[in-house]
Amino acid sequence: MTSAKTEEKQPTVLDQMGGVSGMLYSSLPVVVFVIVNFAAKNLMAAIISALASAVVIGVVLAVRKGTIQPAISAVFGVGIAAFIAYKTGEAKGFFLFGIWQSVVYGSAFLLSIIVRWPLAGVIWTFLNGRDRSWRNDKASVRDYDIATFVWALVFFARFVVQRWLYEEDQVGWLAVARLGMGYPLMAIALVATVWAVRRADKRLKAAEEAAAAQAEAEEVLARTADDLLTPDMDELKRVVDSEARDKSRD
């Protein structure tokens, strides 16, 4: 029997990214940091402004009774970035955490392919409350391997480009790269993930239907065999009674 979850409509790429508001919320602190740092030429002012913008996001979302996930992520990420910038005394230090975060994430996604637990599939099934039946299907694992490899490429591309800009002290271009290589590249990776999910779901649905059909056929066959092997007691009684009457007449 096909599971109801399998037939649920798949979330769109924009849904998985938190919608347009989620994109704006997570990008705002970075934009604020760069603008204030450029305009005021004051690192502390830029740090405080970025942190304040992240907190404002949380307040706005709480008032609107929406999800505060983007705000929590923003405050946490901006807090670490701001601390590093403060400790290094340089505006480019604000981007250092994200740069090394990219190489860690890329390595994790790559390693998950090697150990045959592709993170694209693992994370998707966890976030959407699915089971991991796809791991028993080699073709589905392969599809998730491909999607996971796309994610790894995205993170390594971020690291290479942003690390180079960091070494060149290009703070403005670091912000551009941070935003430009953020959601646009994530959209590509999410498209690859949705592709893998749909292929795996279609394959698993076909397997479930085939198993159900086979079980039904076996049940019919068992009933038929039972009917053939089990004698009709009423007919047998009639035969015995008939033979008894014949003997009595004789």
Side-chain angles (χ1 to χ4, degrees):
M1 182 177 179
T2 304
S3 138
K5 289 182 180 179
T6 304
E7 297 183 358
E8 289 178 356
K9 184 180 178 181
Q10 299 290 354
T12 65
V13 170
L14 191 59
D15 291 336
Q16 291 297 319
M17 292 165 63
V20 176
S21 59
M23 296 169 60
L24 294 175
Y25 290 147
S26 62
S27 303
L28 184 59
V30 177
V31 175
V32 169
F33 176 85
V34 174
I35 292 176
V36 173
N37 182 69
F38 177 78
K41 305 297 182 183
N42 188 307
L43 180 59
M44 278 305 300
I47 290 174
I48 293 172
S49 298
L51 286 171
S53 67
V55 172
V56 168
I57 290 172
V59 173
V60 171
L61 290 175
V63 170
R64 292 175 56 186
K65 297 182 179 180
T67 175
I68 61 171
Q69 177 82 32
I72 294 174
S73 300
V75 171
F76 179 75
V78 172
I80 295 177
F83 177 75
I84 295 175
Y86 173 76
K87 294 299 288 185
T88 60
E90 297 179 306
K92 68 178 184 178
F94 185 83
F95 300 92
L96 196 57
F97 175 71
I99 291 172
W100 287 106
Q101 187 180 46
S102 292
V103 77
V104 170
Y105 285 169
S107 299
F109 273 81
L110 201 57
L111 180 61
S112 73
I113 298 174
I114 297 173
V115 299
R116 310 304 294 159
W117 277 85
L119 279 177
V122 173
I123 295 174
W124 181 280
T125 52
F126 173 76
L127 292 178
N128 293 279
R130 304 286 189 88
D131 58 35
R132 295 197 182 103
S133 55
W134 56 268
R135 292 209 69 253
N136 299 320
D137 180 59
K138 290 183 178 180
S140 295
V141 174
R142 180 200 60 213
D143 292 339
Y144 280 119
D145 280 343
I146 294 172
T148 300
F149 186 68
V150 173
W151 278 101
L153 288 179
V154 166
F155 287 120
F156 284 129
R158 287 180 183 175
F159 172 76
V160 171
V161 173
Q162 294 178 35
R163 179 66 183 177
W164 176 73
L165 291 172
Y166 179 87
E167 295 295 338
E168 295 295 319
D169 294 325
Q170 298 292 328
V171 178
W173 283 110
L174 265 173
V176 173
R178 170 79 171 267
L179 299 176
M181 301 184 77
Y183 280 110
L185 291 188
M186 278 182 64
I188 295 174
L190 281 168
V191 166
T193 303
V194 171
W195 168 82
V197 168
R198 288 178 175 171
R199 282 173 60 90
D201 282 355
K202 183 178 179 180
R203 193 179 296 110
L204 292 174
K205 179 180 178 180
E208 288 177 359
E209 291 175 346
Q214 182 179 356
E216 184 177 354
E218 290 176 352
E219 184 179 351
V220 170
L221 182 61
R223 285 201 303 266
T224 303
D226 186 60
D227 290 341
L228 292 173
L229 295 176
T230 303
D232 188 330
M233 299 307 296
D234 291 337
E235 181 65 25
L236 182 60
K237 186 175 183 299
R238 282 195 295 271
V239 171
V240 171
D241 290 343
S242 176
E243 289 179 353
R245 284 195 299 271
D246 290 343
K247 286 181 181 180
S248 65
R249 282 198 295 269
D250 293 340

